[in-house]
Amino acid sequence: MNKNINMIWNPTEGIHIAFLTIRFYSLMFVVAFALGYYIMKKIFNNENESLEKLDTLFVWTVLATLLGARLGHVFFYDWAYFKYHLLEIVLPFKFEPEFQFTGFAGLASHGAAIAIIVVMYFYSKKIIQRPILWVLDRVVIPVASGAIFVRIGNFFNSEIVGNTTSNTTFGIRFVRDYFSPQEAMYKTHTTNADVAYQEIVSNPKYANLLAQVPLKHPAQLYESFCYIFVFAILFYLYWKTEARKSEGFLFGLFLVLLWSIRFLVEFLKESQGGFEKSLGTFSTGQWLSIPFILVGIYFIVTAKKRRTN
């Protein structure tokens, strides 16, 4: 048997409890927000800030992340579709060609980043009454940790996969990315998507279908692994150095590190759509990352001028 066939990724959607399915992707968001709250609680205690203000920050950040990520996907990657399906922007359904529950299948990190920055501006003015850069220097630490788990969630969803590769060490066969649920059920003559995928993976009768699934880079895991270092660097600099006193430095460093990683990993990713065809050279994700990197460089360079006592 070809050893490449063994490198297969075919997880179920999540944990099935009676009629309810708790998706692994959703669980990763829960972990990200819970860990983020814990980290910010430590920071607020260290800064002698009220935890009541932290509760407000948590709620605002969750809403900004989800709403911004959704709108980012709509406008940056798939406006050609959504401009004719406006209700699907805010509803977790597809109405054409037939009614289908989809969940909010489409979140863009660039949109989330923009929304968080906007919300932090109002939070700094209305709630905590500190400079916005003071807030952003601290918020980026839990945001970096959250990015690790969001990409793991993408891996569980078999989405944002990499380009095809012949590398049998890193390449993975994403069965659920290659075959849609409807296609898998049709080809295996079953009426349940999970059963259909399992048939393709384990039933020798459908070995020819499994052989069609190409090896692809697990780009989500590459990103997630690199984000561990982004988080570790920011965490260390906040707690072990005086970097937090140079307003904007940690925020700028976050922008440069995280979006540079995103820019580089995009070379290994399949196209996610968007406006890249009209601009060429880079992907949509890369074009959107460049402004963040440049802004980050500006804040790093000018941080010393804003150093606080």
Side-chain angles (χ1 to χ4, degrees), residues 63-200:
L63 294 177
T65 300
L66 298 179
L67 182 60
R70 180 60 174 169
L71 294 179
H73 173 79
V74 168
F75 293 113
F76 294 149
Y77 289 94
D78 212 3
W79 179 239
Y81 172 84
F82 282 103
K83 65 182 179 181
Y84 299 112
H85 305 84
L86 296 178
L87 282 178
E88 293 181 19
I89 296 176
V90 295
L91 296 177
F93 306 108
K94 273 187 177 293
F95 297 96
E96 296 177 358
E98 61 184 18
F99 181 82
Q100 179 185 2
F101 175 78
T102 60
F104 292 108
L107 300 173
S109 55
H110 294 92
I114 294 170
I116 289 172
I117 291 172
V118 171
V119 165
M120 290 308 103
Y121 171 80
F122 290 102
Y123 176 80
S124 69
K125 296 292 184 183
K126 303 295 184 181
I127 306 298
I128 202 167
Q129 297 178 337
R130 295 251 202 177
I132 183 174
L133 289 177
W134 183 95
V135 178
L136 290 173
D137 280 337
R138 287 146 183 82
V139 164
V140 293
I141 301 173
V143 168
S145 72
I148 299 168
F149 296 97
V150 170
R151 282 295 178 253
I152 293 174
N154 294 138
F155 182 67
F156 273 110
N157 267 9
S158 298
E159 61 189 3
I160 316 182
V161 299
N163 296 321
T164 56
T165 178
S166 59
N167 189 315
T168 58
T169 301
F170 296 105
I172 293 177
R173 297 181 187 274
F174 291 94
V175 178
R176 294 180 182 240
D177 168 69
Y178 190 78
F179 294 110
S180 69
Q182 294 76 17
E183 188 178 11
M185 289 187 289
Y186 174 77
K187 290 181 178 294
T188 58
H189 310 289
T190 57
T191 57
N192 180 282
D194 283 336
V195 172
Y197 286 123
Q198 190 57 39
E199 283 288 290
I200 292 173

Side-chain angles (χ1 to χ4, degrees), residues 6-301:
N6 294 326
M7 309 190 72
I8 300 166
W9 184 242
N10 176 43
T12 60
E13 292 180 334
I15 303 171
H16 300 287
I17 303 176
F19 61 88
L20 178 67
T21 298
I22 303 175
R23 296 175 181 267
F24 291 122
Y25 183 63
S26 300
L27 282 176
M28 290 300 101
F29 266 92
V30 171
V31 171
F33 286 128
L35 179 59
Y37 184 90
Y38 175 79
I39 293 170
M40 283 304 294
K41 182 178 180 181
K42 293 288 187 182
I43 291 174
F44 267 49
N45 284 333
N46 184 56
E47 305 281 358
N48 296 316
E49 281 292 348
S50 167
L51 293 183
E52 290 183 5
K53 296 177 182 179
L54 174 59
D55 292 338
T56 303
L57 175 65
F58 178 76
V59 173
W60 286 23
T61 303
V62 170
L63 294 177
T65 300
L66 298 179
L67 182 60
R70 180 60 174 169
L71 294 179
H73 173 79
V74 168
F75 293 113
F76 294 149
Y77 289 94
D78 212 3
W79 179 239
Y81 172 84
F82 282 103
K83 65 182 179 181
Y84 299 112
H85 305 84
L86 296 178
L87 282 178
E88 293 181 19
I89 296 176
V90 295
L91 296 177
F93 306 108
K94 273 187 177 293
F95 297 96
E96 296 177 358
E98 61 184 18
F99 181 82
Q100 179 185 2
F101 175 78
T102 60
F104 292 108
L107 300 173
S109 55
H110 294 92
I114 294 170
I116 289 172
I117 291 172
V118 171
V119 165
M120 290 308 103
Y121 171 80
F122 290 102
Y123 176 80
S124 69
K125 296 292 184 183
K126 303 295 184 181
I127 306 298
I128 202 167
Q129 297 178 337
R130 295 251 202 177
I132 183 174
L133 289 177
W134 183 95
V135 178
L136 290 173
D137 280 337
R138 287 146 183 82
V139 164
V140 293
I141 301 173
V143 168
S145 72
I148 299 168
F149 296 97
V150 170
R151 282 295 178 253
I152 293 174
N154 294 138
F155 182 67
F156 273 110
N157 267 9
S158 298
E159 61 189 3
I160 316 182
V161 299
N163 296 321
T164 56
T165 178
S166 59
N167 189 315
T168 58
T169 301
F170 296 105
I172 293 177
R173 297 181 187 274
F174 291 94
V175 178
R176 294 180 182 240
D177 168 69
Y178 190 78
F179 294 110
S180 69
Q182 294 76 17
E183 188 178 11
M185 289 187 289
Y186 174 77
K187 290 181 178 294
T188 58
H189 310 289
T190 57
T191 57
N192 180 282
D194 283 336
V195 172
Y197 286 123
Q198 190 57 39
E199 283 288 290
I200 292 173
V201 169
S202 60
N203 192 333
K205 178 181 177 181
Y206 300 111
N208 62 317
L209 295 179
L210 182 59
Q212 294 175 26
V213 183
L215 286 170
K216 293 184 177 181
H217 285 287
Q220 321 94 318
L221 296 185
Y222 297 163
E223 261 187 90
S224 180
F225 179 75
C226 291
Y227 291 161
I228 293 173
F229 295 98
V230 177
F231 167 70
I233 290 169
L234 294 173
F235 189 87
Y236 175 83
L237 289 176
Y238 174 82
W239 287 104
K240 300 298 183 179
T241 74
E242 299 293 308
R244 65 183 180 278
K245 293 185 178 181
S246 296
E247 288 186 354
F249 178 79
L250 293 177
F251 173 58
L253 185 62
F254 165 83
L255 293 180
V256 171
L257 291 177
L258 187 131
W259 298 110
S260 293
I261 289 168
R262 175 67 184 274
F263 185 91
L264 293 174
V265 175
E266 284 284 322
F267 284 114
L268 298 176
K269 283 185 186 178
E270 283 189 342
S271 171
Q272 302 298 308
F275 50 76
E276 59 194 46
K277 289 184 179 179
S278 60
L279 294 178
T281 309
F282 298 133
S283 70
T284 301
Q286 287 173 316
W287 282 115
L288 291 172
S289 297
I290 291 172
F292 285 101
I293 295 171
L294 295 177
V295 170
I297 292 172
Y298 167 79
F299 280 113
I300 291 173
V301 171

